[in-house]
């Protein structure tokens, strides 16, 4: 499974967030694919930092973990309050930040997911829906 698929499955596993995959659900991988539903969450992968390298004699500086990054976008209906979208973004932010170790459903071992900043208002789209954003860095064991 891809990075976005692994993190998406991790988010869906939290029943408190109430997410499911689009097109009938609210979680989109790779960006918002459609104009509806109004309330939606999108995960977008982008380049991260250099890999973490082992420093023992046997590994000789070989990469042991990758650190890709993900932008999380939370779109809220124009009919809902400003704070509704901000609260939804905050709940996802708190769920993802400092996850600690876990194995994804595809078997990838994640060492941690770290938030890079708190949620912020990114834009108001053409349909006057507010979009919140924040970025995370995923530390995953190199396959």
């Amino acid at each position: 499974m891809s990075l976005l698929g692994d993190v998406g499955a991790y988010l869906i596993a939290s029943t408190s967030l109430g997410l499911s995959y689009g097109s009938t659900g609210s979680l989109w991988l790779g960006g918002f694919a459609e104009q509806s539903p109004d309330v939606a969450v999108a995960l977008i992968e982008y380049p991260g930092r250099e890999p973490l390298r082992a420093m023992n004699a046997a590994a000789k500086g070989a990469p042991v973990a990758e650190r890709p990054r993900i932008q999380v976008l939370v779109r809220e209906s124009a009919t809902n309050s400003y704070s509704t979208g901000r609260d939804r973004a905050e709940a996802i932010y708190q769920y993802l930040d400092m996850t600690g170790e876990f194995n994804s459903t595809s078997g990838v071992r994640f060492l941690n997911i770290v938030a890079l900043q708190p949620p912020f208002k990114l834009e108001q789209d053409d349909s006057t829906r507010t979009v919140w954003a924040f970025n995370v860095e995923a530390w995953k064991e190199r396959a």
Side-chain angles (χ1 to χ4, degrees), residues 30-104:
F32 297 120
E34 298 178 12
Q35 287 299 313
S36 75
D38 284 337
V39 176
V41 175
L43 304 179
I44 302 170
E45 184 176 359
Y46 67 97
R49 295 189 294 160
E50 73 283 356
L52 294 173
R53 300 186 180 278
M55 295 301 158
N56 62 33
K60 298 180 184 172
V64 294
E66 297 173 349
R67 298 184 286 182
R69 291 183 174 181
I70 299 170
Q71 184 170 62
V72 180
L73 301 174
V74 178
R75 182 173 68 197
E76 189 59 52
S77 169
T79 59
N80 288 342
S81 72
Y82 181 88
S83 64
T84 302
R86 177 63 172 84
D87 291 347
R88 187 181 323 278
E90 181 70 24
I92 297 168
Y93 164 79
Q94 287 188 18
Y95 186 73
L96 284 178
D97 187 34
M98 299 303 291
T99 58
E101 286 186 37
F102 69 94
N103 289 321
S104 71

Side-chain angles (χ1 to χ4, degrees), residues 106-143:
S106 68
V108 174
R109 182 170 168 238
F110 282 79
L111 306 172
N112 208 353
I113 296 177
V114 179
L116 301 176
Q117 81 274 96
F120 59 92
K121 182 180 175 183
L122 181 65
E123 66 179 353
Q124 197 166 29
D125 70 11
D126 294 338
S127 299
T128 67
R129 298 173 295 197
T130 303
V131 178
W132 296 91
F134 65 93
N135 297 289
V136 298
E137 184 173 84
W139 300 358
K140 64 184 194 109
E141 203 168 67
R142 194 160 201 188

